[in-house]
Amino acid sequence: MSETFGRPLGSAKDAINAATRAVPPWVLYALAASYGGWVFFEGATGRLGPEPIEALEHVYGLRALQVIILGLAVTPLRTFAGLNLMKHRRAIGVIAFFLVLAHFLVWALLDIGQLSAIWADIVKRPYVTIGMAGFLLLIPLGLTSNNWSVRKLGGARWRKLHKLVYPAAALGGLHFVWLAKGFQVEPLVYTGVILGLLALRLPFLQPKRRARG
Amino acid sequence: MARRYTSPLTSADVTPKGLYLNRRQIMAGAAGILGAGLIGGGARAQEAQAPNTFEEITTYNNFYEFGTGKNDPARNAHMLTTEPWSIEIDGMVDNPGTYMLADILSEMTIEERIYRLRCVEAWSMVVPWNGFELNDLLDLAGVQDGAQYVAFETALRPDEMPGVSRPIIDWPYREGLRIDEARHPLTLMATGIYGEPIPNQNGAPVRLVVPWKYGFKSIKSIVRITLQEEQPVTAWNSYDPREYGFYSNVNPNVDHPRWSQATERRIGGGLFARRQPTLMFNGYEDEVASLYEGMDLSVQF
């Protein structure tokens, strides 16, 4: 079985891995930046419907969750499917951070627009509090997503610090669930996927590594 | 003899049909000629009263029977069959029965009413409705003594309403008013917008408009009206009574548990418009505050 199926599957995997490895990271940054800018332009020119602020808030927030999910999928994809996106994990994380930042800025500056009201919402509205907490957890990750910081912190401490993305992602999902009006499926699906990807990191689910011991 | 409501907004405030499709360009042009410094508070207040465009009113809707996205009703509501349409009027009335809408309309006086609409989600519009007073319909049915409340029900048609396959709320959508609220001259049964037949996404062919209450009280596509003694079960109130009160009068001093109701976003202002302060009873305090005398509006919200 493994003789007949293993080889073609393995080569398909290798082809995908080779193709994604060939993409330079700046391409991802450029795509993300132009997408973010384009959506903003659409909002400013009336192409996002009659209420562009809410639309922008939602687009940036939803895309942020999707990119965070992609980032959380990198390790399980390698462990369980043999697909290697490691090279792009930093770009994925940085793009997610900027999407969350854009989501926050649209809310704070365009939607609320008043410092006292922003603060009141953060302390009084649980779903805002949760979203804000998730954003704060991502700030040190955004600031240390560079080679200098990895060297300075050392690989082990850097990896430990970047595990903050786990609670941040869970808070992001909960933030989405909490703001829904009525019983809605989509936020529950996002949160379920996030929790599932986090569960794949549980120690007993890790495959045994033959080479060690 | 209820006094008929006369709007402080007149037909002169309604942008002529030829202009409403591109009102914003015209306003922008006018502002450019006048210069920003010359536009005083009065001019700005008037602009705040100007009705939203037909496009804004018909593409930004909450009508969960057709999807939860703001644009979903505009895309999906064409599936709703609105002709023929009948309303069952039952409960404590002298003339219960199934009324054809066309027969009702032949008895009613259609008026234009330019009302503010304030959604519980803290956005607002100004809509030039056409419709008749609910009071007149209640007189047609003959309300019996002892009827304290009016219950309303929206059509429930899974074949025509893609949204009802999901249990977002306990379908059908239901709403209710106290009898004095229902008989108030401001309370309208709308059948048109800008003189056009009301589009499906706005609640065709006939919907309630209660301008001093949050928008979800103004139930759409009504198929049943019941006069009764007890307070009706209503959709959002039974979904979460802590978040959506039976009365749901617009009140900037009583926040929704998850967000502030002190300000609102006026639809159509674009990406850089500021929020506006929300008015008590959505600006209809003089007309309706007496209905709630002696009530603690933070308890009976």
Side-chain angles (χ1 to χ4, degrees):
Chain A
M1 288 290 277
S2 63
E3 278 305 310
T4 45
F5 286 107
R7 200 170 289 270
L9 264 183
S11 61
K13 251 185 263 176
D14 291 345
I16 294 172
N17 287 340
T20 51
R21 221 180 0 256
V23 178
W26 66 261
V27 172
L28 298 188
Y29 290 119
L31 280 176
S34 27
Y35 173 76
W38 170 250
V39 184
F40 190 88
F41 171 76
E42 282 189 309
T45 52
R47 288 159 213 230
L48 290 183
E51 220 298 53
I53 298 174
E54 180 205 34
L56 259 191
E57 235 170 65
H58 289 182
V59 170
Y60 287 149
L62 200 64
R63 294 290 182 219
L65 273 178
Q66 290 165 353
V67 177
I68 286 172
I69 285 172
L70 179 63
L72 287 178
V74 169
T75 297
L77 277 177
R78 193 179 58 161
T79 316
F80 300 103
L83 291 176
N84 193 344
L85 293 171
M86 262 329 178
K87 178 188 173 185
H88 298 299
R89 195 170 62 166
R90 175 183 291 173
I92 292 170
V94 170
I95 289 166
F97 173 77
F98 276 102
L99 284 167
V100 174
L101 178 68
H103 172 70
F104 166 77
L105 288 176
V106 170
W107 172 76
L109 301 180
L110 298 180
D111 191 354
I112 308 296
Q114 203 190 346
L115 205 59
S116 58
I118 292 169
W119 182 245
D121 262 5
I122 291 173
V123 294
K124 270 171 76 179
R125 317 283 166 204
Y127 85 86
V128 182
T129 317
I130 284 172
M132 198 63 207
F135 174 51
L136 289 177
L137 290 179
L138 289 180
I139 289 175
L141 310 197
L143 291 176
T144 56
S145 288
N146 51 69
N147 292 336
W148 182 81
S149 296
V150 179
R151 274 198 307 275
K152 196 81 183 163
L153 287 165
R157 272 164 72 200
W158 187 91
R159 273 194 297 279
K160 206 168 169 187
L161 175 69
H162 279 247
K163 291 211 160 53
L164 282 177
V165 75
Y166 301 163
L171 289 170
L174 187 58
H175 171 71
F176 191 22
V177 169
W178 207 319
L179 61 85
K181 212 174 120 210
F183 176 79
Q184 296 198 34
V185 178
E186 197 188 6
L188 296 175
V189 170
Y190 273 81
T191 307
V193 170
I194 288 171
L195 294 179
L197 287 170
L198 295 183
L200 288 179
R201 281 144 167 101
L202 293 171
F204 67 89
L205 283 177
Q206 303 316 304
K208 304 259 183 300
R209 290 185 191 175
R210 265 174 279 150
R212 289 196 184 166
Chain B
M1 288 295 275
R3 124 198 111 83
R4 295 196 85 84
Y5 172 75
T6 46
S7 173
L9 303 167
T10 68
S11 58
D13 292 310
V14 182
T15 313
K17 190 185 171 190
L19 297 182
Y20 64 61
L21 294 170
N22 56 0
R23 178 174 59 82
R24 258 181 299 167
Q25 285 95 307
I26 293 165
M27 293 306 295
I33 293 160
L34 286 169
L38 289 174
I39 301 178
R44 230 178 280 128
Q46 264 189 355
E47 162 68 347
Q49 291 300 316
N52 281 87
T53 65
F54 190 78
E55 198 198 333
E56 288 160 356
I57 295 167
T58 56
T59 58
Y60 193 81
N61 307 99
N62 279 330
F63 199 169
Y64 282 8
E65 283 83 341
F66 298 101
T68 52
K70 291 286 184 288
N71 195 32
D72 289 347
R75 282 190 288 124
N76 297 330
H78 65 89
M79 297 163 73
L80 181 70
T81 314
T82 58
E83 206 151 340
W85 193 271
S86 61
I87 303 177
E88 194 185 338
I89 304 182
D90 59 4
M92 302 169 76
V93 289
D94 295 331
N95 313 308
T98 302
Y99 289 70
M100 294 309 295
L101 180 61
D103 297 338
I104 293 174
L105 290 177
S106 67
E107 303 283 325
M108 297 289 127
T109 312
I110 300 292
E111 303 173 39
E112 180 174 68
R113 299 283 180 90
I114 304 167
Y115 285 158
R116 282 175 285 272
L117 173 89
R118 169 60 156 82
C119 178
V120 72
E121 296 166 354
W123 55 264
S124 66
M125 290 187 184
V126 176
V127 184
W129 303 105
N130 312 94
F132 55 89
E133 287 188 9
L134 174 60
N135 192 30
D136 291 345
L137 178 59
L138 294 178
D139 283 342
L140 192 74
V143 178
Q144 293 176 349
D145 288 345
Q148 303 287 319
Y149 292 93
V150 188
F152 304 86
E153 213 174 280
T154 296
L156 176 57
R157 298 185 191 160
D159 293 344
E160 301 183 353
M161 297 173 155
V164 301
S165 61
R166 291 181 171 188
I168 300 160
I169 54 159
D170 183 16
W171 311 108
Y173 196 91
R174 284 166 292 173
E175 258 311 331
L177 295 173
R178 221 168 53 188
I179 190 75
D180 57 342
E181 298 174 326
R183 283 205 176 276
H184 193 280
L186 276 176
T187 303
L188 195 72
M189 294 286 274
T191 54
I193 293 172
Y194 270 114
E196 304 279 325
I198 193 167
N200 287 5
Q201 59 266 38
N202 295 83
V206 60
R207 65 167 294 171
L208 185 68
V209 179
V210 194
W212 70 92
K213 292 176 179 285
Y214 292 121
F216 71 88
K217 292 293 292 181
S218 295
I219 184 170
K220 297 179 170 118
S221 304
I222 297 168
V223 292
R224 189 173 178 195
I225 298 175
T226 309
L227 278 289
Q228 57 190 58
E229 203 172 340
E230 63 283 5
Q231 182 174 304
V233 173
T234 61
W236 283 108
N237 179 246
S238 60
Y239 177 80
D240 190 343
R242 209 176 57 90
E243 296 200 340
Y244 309 99
F246 173 78
Y247 287 95
S248 282
N249 294 316
V250 176
N251 188 340
N253 309 314
V254 176
D255 284 346
H256 185 282
R258 287 183 285 159
W259 57 83
S260 166
Q261 296 290 27
T263 60
E264 64 200 46
R265 176 162 304 291
R266 178 70 199 285
I267 299 302
L271 202 47
F272 305 103
R274 306 278 75 193
R275 286 175 166 270
Q276 298 179 2
T278 288
L279 304 171
M280 188 66 203
F281 294 114
N282 201 23
Y284 300 95
E285 192 170 10
D286 291 347
E287 288 89 350
V288 302
S290 60
L291 297 176
Y292 309 101
E293 255 166 35
M295 281 172 57
D296 183 346
L297 295 178
S298 62
V299 178
Q300 292 181 290
F301 56 90

